[in-house]
Amino acid sequence: MSFDLGKPPEGPPPYQPWTSRHLKIVERAIVVAWQQLLASSEFVTWAASAVERDITVKLQARLIQLLNTGEVHGFTAAAFSPPIRGQEVDDYSGKDKEKRPDLTFLRLAARPVSNHHAQFYECKVIGRGRTVDDYHNDGIMRFVDGRYAWGMAHAGMIAYVSPPPPLMASTALESCWTKARQKLRLAGLPASPLKLDQTASHPIAISVHSRGFRLSNLRPPGDITLRHLWLPTLP
């Protein structure tokens, strides 16, 4: 008698990147969920002073509704599991086991199955005393130093931008990084200029960052591409 043990896992990390189609489906769902939230004047008033955590709770709940309705093409419960908020994962070394990315999206067909084979987002308020420097130091650096998304070639940053809004994401980030280079604060800075995804449904700035650590299997993680999605807190 023989037993079929199934297919072996499809390779250790770093994992195969998602297609641009899957990334854009998630981004489109985030934008639609946000637009629906902004349609409520009560939400707009509340979001103007709410903390990042509570805004993300509302966004997660609306994304789960979209999974159920299927109104965003491709963003369905047949393709994605419900987005997870603040799930505890380990860092690249496996020593720190309480890292909490703000939002995690898992594709049901992604192989190998792993809670690290996902699209991770870190969410930050910009405005109300929080700056683009904070966005870099407390957000982007979590992907660069291997706290989050160490097994992936891509991840995302979401900004809840309070009025008065800064410049567009690409301009604001380039300005921040130019000043950092002038002051020789080089940690986590991209080696090449930002790009814009002209095919996305919402402005997406794209930056590529090198990572200097090694995975537990001694493989280098490679660069990480961050997709920056900035959402206004006013319609």
Side-chain angles (χ1 to χ4, degrees), residues 132-201:
V132 181
D133 281 334
D134 298 319
Y135 176 93
H136 177 91
N137 296 331
D138 299 331
I140 289 172
M141 285 303 299
R142 300 184 187 196
F143 295 109
V144 173
D145 64 18
R147 279 175 279 179
Y148 301 161
W150 47 262
M152 299 299 295
H154 51 72
M157 290 287 302
I158 296 174
Y160 306 126
V161 184
S162 290
L167 302 170
M168 290 180 59
S170 56
T171 307
L173 288 169
E174 284 288 18
S175 176
C176 171
W177 291 333
T178 296
K179 292 176 183 177
R181 290 186 183 95
Q182 292 169 347
K183 296 179 180 180
L184 298 181
R185 296 200 301 259
L186 305 179
L189 299 187
S192 57
L194 276 169
K195 296 181 180 179
L196 293 177
D197 188 343
Q198 304 287 359
T199 66
S201 59

Side-chain angles (χ1 to χ4, degrees), residues 31-61:
V31 170
V32 170
W34 189 252
Q35 291 171 340
Q36 292 180 351
L37 289 171
L38 289 181
S40 164
S41 59
E42 290 82 3
F43 174 82
V44 171
T45 301
W46 171 83
S49 59
V51 298
E52 165 206 303
R53 176 203 61 209
D54 294 344
I55 297 174
T56 303
V57 168
K58 299 279 190 183
L59 179 59
Q60 178 200 32

Side-chain angles (χ1 to χ4, degrees), residues 9-17 90-94 111-118 120 146 148-153 211 213-223:
E10 297 181 12
Y15 302 117
Q16 284 293 316
D90 52 323
D91 70 351
Y92 79 94
S93 71
R111 295 293 183 272
V113 175
S114 167
N115 60 354
H116 293 286
H117 193 176
F120 297 95
Y148 301 161
W150 47 262
M152 299 299 295
R211 297 183 285 189
F213 57 89
R214 291 267 175 171
L215 301 175
S216 59
N217 56 21
L218 301 182
R219 297 181 68 183
D223 295 343

Side-chain angles (χ1 to χ4, degrees), residues 3 5 7 18 21 24 35 45 48 56 59-60 65 86 88 131 142 155 181 186 190 200 202 217 221:
F3 296 93
L5 299 180
K7 289 179 62 178
W18 289 14
R21 172 179 170 271
K24 289 175 184 178
Q35 291 171 340
T45 301
T56 303
L59 179 59
Q60 178 200 32
Q65 289 183 20
E88 289 189 354
T131 67
R142 300 184 187 196
R181 290 186 183 95
L186 305 179
H202 188 83
N217 56 21

